[in-house]
Amino acid sequence: MVRQSFEAPSVCNGVAPDPSRTGQLVRLVREFTFEAAHHLPNVPSGHKCGRLHGHSFRVDVICEGDADPETGWLIDFADIKRAVEPLIDQLDHHYLNEIEGLSNPTAERIAMWIWKRLAPTLPVLSQINVAETCTGRCEYRG
């Protein structure tokens, strides 16, 4: 059986390709973890999250862009780690409600807090994910 060659369409999902792109779009994900306690002050009376409790948080820092044709990478994973670790140090084994900007430390607010502090130093930042449990997370795209 002779297979026919496949030609990629010139338009994908109704969007024409950008001729200036190198075609090397990559998405890097670097995972971090921290342990912390919090309570959510704005939930209804009697809600379990209104009581002091803790989580093993997982944070995904996602960077996106074109891989450099020379180096073959978008950004060094070590540069991501260097930018994120001071923030994780502020959160790890702390009471989140006492951290400036996190008086109501929902997963959404934690993701926004991290984004605000990382975006100036990681221009290729595209998303922050914050998971409080193994079944629930917030995905924030700035």
Side-chain angles (χ1 to χ4, degrees), residues 9 38 51 104 108 130:
H38 71 157
R51 295 189 298 272
N104 182 27
E108 296 86 344
V130 174

Side-chain angles (χ1 to χ4, degrees), residues 32-38 55-59 96 110 130-132:
F32 300 86
T33 60
F34 68 94
E35 312 291 327
H38 71 157
H55 295 286
S56 295
F57 289 90
R58 190 186 80 238
V59 175
L96 299 180
I110 296 167
V130 174
E132 291 184 347

Side-chain angles (χ1 to χ4, degrees), residues 34-65:
F34 68 94
E35 312 291 327
H38 71 157
H39 81 278
L40 302 183
N42 299 334
V43 295
S45 178
H47 191 286
K48 68 181 183 177
C49 293
R51 295 189 298 272
L52 179 63
H53 64 286
H55 295 286
S56 295
F57 289 90
R58 190 186 80 238
V59 175
D60 294 331
V61 175
I62 302 168
C63 297
E64 211 170 335

